[in-house]
Amino acid sequence: MATAVVEPVAASEPVADAPAPAAAVVEKDATTSVAVDMTKPEDFEGNIDTTNQIPSAETIEKINSFVVLDSDGKSHTFESLYNGPNSPRRVLLIFVRHFFCGNCQNYLEMLSESITPEALLALPISTFIAVIGCGDPALISMYRDATKCPYPIYTDPQHALFNALGMIKTLSLGERPAYMKNSLLQTTILGVKQALKSIPKGLTFKSGDQRQVGGEFLFEPVDITTPVSTPMEDKTVSLGNTLDGSVATANEATHFRETKRVTWAHRMKNTRDHAEIPELMEVLGLDGQGKPIEDSKRWAAALAARKGTGLSMAPQIKNAVAAAANETK
């Protein structure tokens, strides 16, 4: 019987260790200190992790000169929205999505019903709200009418502020919040109708990036004490030398620039993730919780939710109101 010949088996090449999974890449925008998760594409359909980190003083200083536009297309510096001549000492800036977004329109409608200018003016420290979108300024008038918003509305078409302040892009819906009075179908139909009505003006595709989401940022003075200087004061300024060598001067109304900072912030993680109205009222120092909705489960969630980070002057304001009330007794 023949002996079977076994061919020698060549030694196999050693298998290289599998490469370790790549670590999440977190980058920082050149104009901001807020970390942004860059591992997800801009059209990622899910919640993107973002922080509610308070923007640094350095970041705010860098973007103060950034420009926003009003409904007439007139430009305003970002700083002028919260620290301009005769501006309120406390300003809540609300960044919204594109101008055809029914979600944000529902939000501003509920906010306008619950937080009125009269309520803000009744606070012991002047307080107001401004809204910033990302579409064509020619759509602001339509947006104001649709939301019945009594507060000034601006736009940042280049997304410069959105990017610098760490706001993200996503198409995720997230959970339905209490401020959403309309269903998803209703808000979608509303947006389509508004887009169709904008065809004659050529604005149908100029509402802003539909992936862009926003957030809320509260600017407050460093010190609650009223400044010694008045908001506007006359100051003699030099206009340069005249032909005869003398110095020409004139009285100029100069703006007292109070030191302010962001004391509370919230960035949306999906397209329906604005801070709920009860939280805003608490942060602003207003009494009450807003108008309850019929859905008790969603309203209970809104009362319990606290999405933002920071500590506003609300406790100090309430103490001041209580002290004033005691003095009148």
Side-chain angles (χ1 to χ4, degrees):
M1 182 175 180
T3 304
V5 178
V6 180
E7 296 291 337
V9 179
S12 60
E13 294 292 329
V15 179
D17 292 335
V25 179
V26 177
E27 297 182 2
K28 291 185 178 180
D29 187 274
T31 58
T32 179
S33 60
V34 179
V36 180
D37 185 358
M38 301 298 290
T39 62
K40 305 289 194 305
E42 289 187 345
D43 59 351
F44 174 68
E45 296 189 21
N47 286 353
I48 297 182
D49 286 336
T50 184
T51 71
N52 288 323
Q53 177 183 345
I54 300 293
S56 67
E58 292 75 19
T59 294
I60 298 302
E61 189 64 31
K62 287 179 181 178
I63 65 177
N64 271 337
S65 60
F66 285 14
V67 171
V68 295
L69 305 176
D70 61 22
S71 58
D72 296 321
K74 182 180 178 181
S75 61
H76 305 263
T77 63
F78 175 65
E79 183 181 21
S80 70
L81 303 190
Y82 71 89
N83 206 15
N86 296 320
S87 64
R89 298 189 67 205
R90 304 169 71 226
V91 178
L92 175 66
L93 295 181
I94 299 177
F95 288 81
V96 295
R97 299 181 66 233
H98 62 92
F99 285 138
F100 296 148
C101 174
N103 303 340
C104 290
Q105 289 184 24
N106 274 189
Y107 183 65
L108 288 185
E109 284 183 72
M110 188 172 188
L111 179 142
S112 300
E113 293 173 357
S114 303
I115 305 177
T116 64
E118 292 75 19
L120 295 179
L121 291 173
L123 293 172
I125 300 179
S126 58
T127 305
F128 216 59
I129 293 173
V131 179
I132 302 175
C134 59
D136 193 291
L139 286 169
I140 291 179
S141 294
M142 177 281 299
Y143 195 72
R144 181 184 296 110
D145 293 340
T147 59
K148 302 178 179 62
C149 180
Y151 302 109
I153 303 175
Y154 304 92
T155 185
D156 171 26
Q158 302 301 319
H159 302 83
L161 292 171
F162 284 85
N163 293 334
L165 291 172
M167 285 169 276
I168 62 173
K169 293 182 180 181
T170 179
L171 294 176
S172 172
L173 286 172
E175 297 293 329
R176 183 180 179 183
Y179 64 78
M180 286 292 300
K181 69 176 183 180
N182 295 332
S183 67
L184 177 59
L185 178 61
Q186 289 173 320
T187 56
T188 301
I189 292 175
L190 173 65
V192 171
K193 285 183 177 179
Q194 291 173 344
L196 292 176
K197 288 182 179 179
S198 301
I199 290 178
K201 297 181 180 180
L203 299 171
T204 301
F205 301 106
K206 296 183 179 181
S207 65
D209 190 340
Q210 294 189 3
R211 300 165 300 172
Q212 182 70 65
V213 296
E216 303 83 36
F217 299 83
L218 178 61
F219 284 80
E220 295 184 310
V222 173
D223 188 357
I224 193 173
T225 306
T226 302
V228 175
S229 303
T230 57
M232 299 291 291
E233 56 184 10
D234 287 338
K235 179 181 179 182
T236 301
V237 296
S238 172
L239 299 181
N241 294 331
T242 62
L243 292 177
D244 62 4
S246 61
V247 178
T249 61
N251 286 331
E252 179 187 73
T254 58
H255 167 50
F256 174 78
R257 189 173 184 268
E258 185 175 21
T259 302
K260 296 183 181 180
R261 61 183 177 180
V262 178
T263 58
W264 178 88
H266 166 250
R267 297 176 182 84
M268 298 170 67
K269 294 184 177 181
N270 57 65
T271 60
R272 303 190 294 188
D273 191 38
H274 278 293
E276 294 277 16
I277 302 303
E279 181 174 7
L280 288 190
M281 295 185 70
E282 179 182 282
V283 168
L284 292 171
L286 295 169
D287 292 329
Q289 299 171 322
K291 184 179 179 180
I293 62 173
E294 294 182 0
D295 189 326
S296 58
K297 184 177 180 180
R298 283 195 291 135
W299 183 245
L303 293 176
R306 291 298 177 268
K307 298 179 179 180
T309 299
L311 182 62
S312 74
M313 285 184 167
Q316 295 171 270
I317 290 175
K318 287 188 176 294
N319 290 339
V321 172
N326 290 332
E327 290 180 0
T328 59
K329 291 181 180 180

